[in-house]
Amino acid sequence: MTQNSSTRFEKTTELTTDSLTLIEGLPGLGLVASIAVDQITKQLELDQHGTIVSDDFPPVAAFDEGRVRDAVRVYAGEDPAVMTLQSDVPIPPTAVESLSDCVLNDVADEFEQAVFLAGAPAESEEEVGEVVGVATTDQLEADLTDAGITLAEGAGVIGGVTGALLADCYHDDVPAAALIVRSNPYMPDPRAARAVIEDALEPLVEFDIDTQELLEQAEEIQQQKQQIAEQLQQYQQQQQEQPRTGMYQ
């Protein structure tokens, strides 16, 4: 159990393997992680494995197809061995530490490695979908290279909940990588989500995802995610004192 008792993982199923890869899909720039992991969870028909509940999360009731559900959920499957972390709401800055502690203390025993997704603002249409990676271990750095993913050059910072999770994995010796994808900074970006799935996640995690509907239903997806995007922008505006150069979320 995490030291912050207000944030806890409530497991609803049991797994027979601990060799899963966690793919994080929390709302960030362009909602790339959220859109991509929604598609992965649906395509792989992952089952809900549990929920993360916290007094630090926004006091909202999430729902889908007429049924109320917890806003932050964990899904898992064993063929392929994939676990996903998803949220229907942006994680506020006040909840980042407790959520990261919960994932590292309560969930990490059930996965072998983690892949985080961070958005970076594209400066042109041509840049949308470009992906670079960073890793916490030599093995994952080699895995990124073998998957054809360019390693990020120079120095930079990954902020928000994704950065907190990656840093905690690094300090707790949990193998992790972050995929930084260039995306539209002003609206949900299904095209960038499709690119990070096809060009990075598929070869890195070794599964096959049909991403065509991300293009065919791009307008519908953007409308569905717009409210989350607006909430996320409000949180980001509250953190304007943070340095912008090299900051990805």
Side-chain angles (χ1 to χ4, degrees):
M1 180 66 66
T2 124
Q3 294 178 351
N4 186 331
S5 59
S6 71
T7 303
R8 62 193 184 277
F9 175 53
E10 297 183 349
K11 185 164 58 173
T12 55
T13 64
E14 295 294 334
L15 300 171
T16 60
T17 178
D18 59 0
S19 61
L20 291 91
T21 295
L22 172 70
I23 305 175
E24 169 261 329
L26 302 176
L29 186 81
L31 295 183
V32 174
S34 180
I35 296 169
V37 173
D38 278 357
Q39 186 73 3
I40 291 167
T41 300
K42 180 172 67 174
Q43 285 273 317
L44 297 182
E45 299 182 339
L46 303 181
D47 295 321
Q48 186 168 331
H49 178 52
T51 61
I52 296 178
V53 295
S54 175
D55 295 339
D56 296 330
F57 295 162
V60 300
F63 66 90
D64 181 58
E65 300 295 341
R67 289 293 297 272
V68 173
R69 64 182 182 180
D70 287 300
V72 182
R73 302 173 304 284
V74 176
Y75 294 85
E78 298 185 12
D79 186 21
V82 170
M83 175 181 286
T84 59
L85 174 62
Q86 297 180 257
S87 176
D88 293 328
V89 295
I91 305 302
T94 53
V96 167
E97 182 178 357
S98 63
L99 175 61
S100 186
D101 285 347
C102 179
V103 171
L104 268 293
N105 292 320
D106 297 347
V107 187
D109 286 344
E110 302 199 72
F111 61 82
E112 184 176 52
Q113 61 183 9
V115 179
F116 302 108
L117 306 180
E123 297 180 0
S124 67
E125 279 295 311
E126 291 72 23
E127 279 191 355
V128 171
E130 291 183 0
V131 181
V132 296
V134 299
T136 65
T137 67
D138 291 341
Q139 182 58 56
L140 267 174
E141 184 175 313
D143 290 344
L144 290 172
T145 301
D146 291 344
I149 301 166
T150 302
L151 298 177
E153 296 181 351
V157 175
I158 299 174
V161 65
T162 301
L165 286 163
L166 182 63
D168 283 350
C169 283
Y170 173 69
H171 289 295
D172 285 11
D173 295 323
V174 176
L179 301 175
I180 303 167
V181 56
R182 295 284 177 180
S183 60
N184 188 318
Y186 305 111
M187 60 191 300
D189 195 341
R191 186 156 66 99
R194 181 175 190 252
V196 77
I197 291 173
E198 292 193 343
D199 299 338
L201 286 169
E202 284 187 338
L204 181 64
V205 187
E206 297 183 350
F207 52 47
D208 186 41
I209 303 295
D210 182 0
T211 61
Q212 186 59 32
E213 65 183 48
L214 292 180
L215 298 183
E216 295 173 349
Q217 301 176 15
E219 185 174 343
E220 179 183 344
I221 292 169
Q222 287 171 340
Q223 292 173 350
Q224 291 173 346
K225 298 289 187 181
Q226 188 58 40
Q227 182 180 8
I228 301 176
E230 291 170 358
Q231 292 171 340
L232 183 63
Q233 288 174 357
Q234 291 176 2
Y235 292 145
Q236 291 171 337
Q237 288 170 0
Q238 295 169 6
Q239 295 182 293
Q240 287 181 346
E241 70 276 6
Q242 294 181 339
R244 295 184 180 182
T245 303
M247 176 74 78
Y248 312 117
Q249 296 190 40

